[in-house]
Each structure stands twice: as structure tokens, then as C-alpha cells.
């Protein structure tokens, strides 16, 4: 779909690119006496990699809690859909924890205390696809000292300071 110019008669019209591709425009200048031959200009809009945004880079949870990792704030400057790929760091005490590792918000639950590191790579769905730099989140699972003023939580989403 061809973009629309902000104005067909403006000296400096603008347009919003809807996809990464080549766009062509033609210009002819008219006066009361004559009209020029048309001149053309080509504009190339290139694909840009998405931006990965994590809700929190480090947080903690109690053993047995469901922890949801969150990269749903990620975006693509071209408006392309984003595909996510989460992986577990090799130092995790327990393997194959993640449910939904290809979504923006995978989750896991473990009774094993430890430090868990996960890396997410966001890629756009353009041709060719581009990937953002990987982003890492660290989750510390450990039993908290009892706090009579704190209510129990069944789910931890985003950032829970520890």
C-alpha cells in the first residue's frame, strides 16, 4: 500500500512509512505559464530491530511461587510483530523451567532455592527478520523471613524487591 503525502501542494510534504521498502514519488511544478517535466525521487525505508524492554531485570520470589517474566513492553519501530525466544542460563540449578518460552510473558515455578538467569531475544517478523540485543533477567528464589505485616502472594508478576 502506497503511503499518502501530507499534502500534494506543500513545498516539503511528509509521509508515514508503513513498511520497510522502497517508495517512489514524482514531482511536477506548475505555474500559470507552464508545467515542468516530472522528476522522481526514491526513498528507501529500512527495517529496524525491535527494542526489548523488561518489566524488571532483577527480582525475587519465595519457593513454590509462580514467577512471570515480562518483556511485553518491547516494541518494534517499524510496527512489525515481535517473536520472543527465552532461554535459561546454563548456571540455573534446575533446567527446563519455563512455560511459554516463545511468548512475551513466560512463567516458571520451583521449590529449589537459587539464582535463576533467563535471556530473551526479541525478533521482528519482517523479511529479513532483525533481532534486538539479548536482555537478561535474574530471579532469586529464597525463603523470606516471616513478616506478620505481609500478606501471602500466590503469584509474582514483574518486580518484587528482595
Amino acid at each position: 500500500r502506497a503511503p499518502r503525502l501530507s499534502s500534494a501542494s506543500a513545498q516539503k510534504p511528509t509521509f508515514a512509512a508503513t513498511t520497510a521498502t522502497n517508495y517512489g514519488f514524482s514531482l511536477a511544478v506548475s505555474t500559470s505559464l507552464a508545467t515542468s517535466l516530472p522528476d522522481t525521487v526514491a526513498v528507501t525505508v529500512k527495517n529496524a530491530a525491535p527494542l526489548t524492554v523488561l518489566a524488571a531485570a532483577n527480582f525475587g520470589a519465595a519457593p513454590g511461587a509462580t514467577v512471570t517474566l515480562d518483556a511485553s513492553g518491547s516494541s518494534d519501530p517499524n510496527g512489525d510483530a515481535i517473536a520472543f525466544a527465552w532461554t535459561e542460563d546454563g548456571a540455573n540449578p534446575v533446567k527446563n523451567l519455563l512455560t511459554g518460552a516463545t511468548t512475551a510473558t513466560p512463567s516458571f515455578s520451583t521449590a529449589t532455592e537459587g539464582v535463576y538467569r533467563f535471556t530473551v531475544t526479541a525478533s521482528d517478523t519482517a523479511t529479513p527478520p532483525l533481532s534486538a540485543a539479548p536482555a537478561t533477567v535474574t530471579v532469586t528464589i529464597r525463603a523470606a523471613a516471616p513478616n506478620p505485616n505481609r500478606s501471602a502472594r500466590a503469584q509474582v508478576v514483574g518486580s518484587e524487591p528482595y
Side-chain angles (χ1 to χ4, degrees):
R1 180 177 153 202
R4 287 201 160 138
L5 290 175
S6 59
S7 170
S9 59
Q11 288 182 356
K12 296 181 181 181
T14 61
F15 74 98
T18 55
T19 187
T21 190
N22 295 317
Y23 295 98
F25 298 95
S26 179
L27 169 69
V29 178
S30 296
T31 69
S32 61
L33 301 175
T35 299
S36 71
L37 293 174
D39 196 6
T40 59
V41 63
V43 177
T44 300
V45 177
K46 294 185 177 185
N47 188 24
L51 173 65
T52 304
V53 177
L54 295 173
N58 301 291
F59 62 97
T66 297
V67 177
T68 300
L69 308 176
D70 189 353
S72 63
S74 302
S75 62
D76 184 82
N78 302 103
D80 298 323
I82 300 174
F84 295 91
W86 290 84
T87 56
E88 300 171 45
D89 183 287
N92 288 340
V94 179
K95 289 298 196 184
N96 301 316
L97 290 175
L98 286 178
T99 299
T102 58
T103 68
T105 55
S107 61
F108 74 96
S109 178
T110 181
T112 305
E113 291 188 358
V115 176
Y116 297 78
R117 288 176 43 104
F118 301 91
T119 300
V120 61
T121 301
S123 302
D124 66 19
T125 55
T127 303
L130 294 178
S131 297
T136 301
V137 59
T138 302
V139 181
T140 302
I141 303 294
R142 70 171 182 222
N147 181 344
N149 298 321
R150 185 174 180 183
S151 61
R153 295 187 72 171
Q155 184 175 18
V156 177
V157 178
S159 178
E160 176 84 7
Y162 229 76

